[in-house]
Amino acid sequence: MSSKIPKVWQMIDLARPLGLKNAKCSSRIFAPVETATAACIACQAGKAKGGRVDIPYPSLVLALAQWRKDKEVFVLDPDLAQILYEQDDTSIPAAAVDYLPYPCFYVETAGLDAYLPGVHGFFFYIGWDTQTRKELMSFIFAGKEGKIYPFDIPLDSPDLSECFDRMNRRKLLSKNAEIQARGRQELEQRDSVMLLLRCSLQVVLYLCACNAEIVPDPEQESVMKRSNGSEIKDRYVEIRKWDVGFVTGPALQAQKRRLQSEESPTRDGSHAPKRPHVRRGHWHHFWTGAKSDAENRRLVLKWLPPIFVGSVDDDLPVVVHPVKEA
């Protein structure tokens, strides 16, 4: 991006204060997407000389402007990813995202290409809707050959179906032909896109959970180098990777396979025998602090893994490794 639009990062940093003020953004917003659009136009104004200005996806530019400051990548274990994808629990208070590990991060996770071909991961950050003046959960899905699929979900709307229809309607009514075309494509693939968003949301919630298994990737940790100063050089060695669920995921899948191999039903006391089965994982949350003290009141989100009912080994110890700064 730096080579395609030189000095775009510096331009965004200069424009951010005014953009935040004009859009009346909440305190945790990095910048509205209009700031990224304006920065791209300004950086290419001289080169265009009255011609067409080539602006990439503004939401991607905005995501990269934030991500490059921390350069955090979370690599999800494929087994854990599959377990999370099977969940359908999205009725979580918006306060859960108060515990995002970083303001903007990239998630590398397998299996999303089943819903949108070529997708291998996504950027996530809290965005801003300048029309409604509300916070958004912004997903930027990365596909093959540089293809990008951005989706925004209002943070205060738990119904993914309603959110999709509302955001898609805005794309179809856009004056930008490219955005209109993307809206039509998404509408044709509505069911797949809904599954993609639901699965990705489960992953984001897991990263916010107090008992998430997240540890530094040893290979990347051995080569990672970051300067002590504030200068960002945008080099590969500045990236920090985290391994997510590489103990929990395989252990759960192994127990699931053992359960599936147990064909005979088990008897529970005087009740009729029950065949072994799995209760899907889900979320548990509770509040700490007095309701009268809103400033210090906090939501705690905890992931409850699948329960294997009727298995020989019902209890699985889950290893917890909370994220801690070095």
Side-chain angles (χ1 to χ4, degrees):
M1 192 65 70
S2 299
S3 58
K4 188 174 183 179
I5 312 178
K7 298 184 178 180
V8 67
W9 309 133
Q10 296 92 323
M11 186 65 71
I12 288 177
D13 285 337
L14 288 172
R16 277 182 61 207
L18 183 59
L20 290 167
K21 180 180 179 181
N22 290 343
K24 295 180 171 57
C25 298
S26 61
S27 58
R28 63 176 169 182
I29 301 301
F30 177 79
V33 71
E34 289 80 4
T35 297
T37 303
C40 291
I41 293 174
C43 288
Q44 297 188 81
K47 183 176 67 174
K49 295 182 180 180
R52 182 179 181 274
V53 177
D54 180 23
I55 303 176
Y57 293 104
S59 52
L60 174 62
V61 175
L62 184 60
L64 291 174
Q66 300 175 71
W67 179 81
R68 64 189 292 269
K69 296 183 181 297
D70 294 312
K71 294 187 176 68
E72 305 293 342
V73 175
F74 293 88
V75 182
L76 212 69
D77 170 73
D79 288 325
L80 178 64
Q82 188 58 45
I83 290 169
L84 292 174
Y85 296 166
E86 292 172 358
Q87 297 181 184
D88 193 19
D89 185 5
T90 57
S91 57
I92 308 299
V97 298
D98 290 348
Y99 302 96
L100 291 172
Y102 293 93
C104 181
F105 50 86
Y106 185 79
V107 177
E108 182 181 318
T109 179
L112 293 181
D113 56 347
Y115 310 110
L116 203 58
V119 169
H120 50 73
F122 60 89
F123 289 97
F124 182 86
Y125 64 93
I126 300 299
W128 185 253
D129 189 328
T130 55
Q131 293 185 16
T132 62
R133 294 181 181 174
K134 291 183 177 181
E135 292 182 335
L136 304 167
M137 292 186 288
S138 295
F139 293 87
I140 314 293
F141 294 95
K144 293 181 179 179
E145 301 177 354
K147 289 185 178 180
I148 297 298
Y149 307 93
F151 293 96
D152 293 316
I153 302 173
L155 189 55
D156 62 350
S157 299
D159 189 334
L160 287 180
S161 178
E162 178 185 336
C163 293
F164 173 87
D165 291 338
R166 186 190 314 162
M167 301 307 290
N168 183 259
R169 194 177 304 115
R170 288 176 58 173
K171 291 179 181 179
L172 294 175
L173 295 175
S174 172
K175 295 180 180 179
N176 184 305
E178 186 175 352
I179 294 177
Q180 281 187 0
R182 191 162 67 242
R184 288 192 295 270
Q185 181 184 9
E186 292 170 6
L187 189 59
E188 292 173 358
Q189 300 175 301
R190 185 182 187 280
D191 292 342
S192 295
V193 171
M194 288 294 301
L195 288 171
L196 175 73
L197 292 173
R198 192 200 71 195
C199 293
S200 302
L201 180 57
Q202 297 299 320
V203 173
V204 171
L205 290 174
Y206 182 83
L207 296 177
C208 296
C210 67
N211 61 333
E213 181 207 330
I214 305 174
V215 297
D217 178 84
E219 183 177 349
Q220 184 68 14
E221 193 175 32
S222 66
V223 299
M224 188 186 72
K225 294 180 181 179
R226 295 183 177 180
S227 59
N228 295 326
S230 58
E231 182 182 2
I232 301 175
K233 298 181 180 180
D234 290 329
R235 298 163 57 196
Y236 176 78
V237 293
E238 293 177 326
I239 296 174
R240 177 164 49 190
K241 288 187 177 182
W242 301 91
D243 291 340
V244 182
F246 278 79
V247 173
T248 304
L252 286 169
Q253 288 290 14
Q255 190 174 15
K256 184 177 180 179
R257 286 192 292 271
R258 286 198 302 271
L259 181 68
Q260 292 171 341
S261 67
E262 296 174 10
E263 298 181 356
S264 59
T266 59
R267 184 175 295 275
D268 183 13
S270 60
H271 297 285
K274 296 180 180 179
R275 288 194 176 278
H277 62 280
V278 180
R279 293 177 184 166
R280 289 184 297 185
H282 59 282
W283 305 105
H284 171 67
H285 67 272
F286 57 90
W287 292 91
T288 62
K291 291 183 178 180
S292 57
D293 187 7
E295 185 175 345
N296 294 313
R297 188 166 166 79
R298 297 286 183 270
L299 180 134
V300 178
L301 180 68
K302 186 175 182 180
W303 182 60
L304 300 182
I307 298 175
F308 300 90
V309 181
S311 174
V312 173
D313 181 16
D314 282 333
D315 297 320
L316 175 72
V318 178
V319 181
V320 177
H321 296 282
V323 174
K324 292 183 179 179
E325 286 289 343

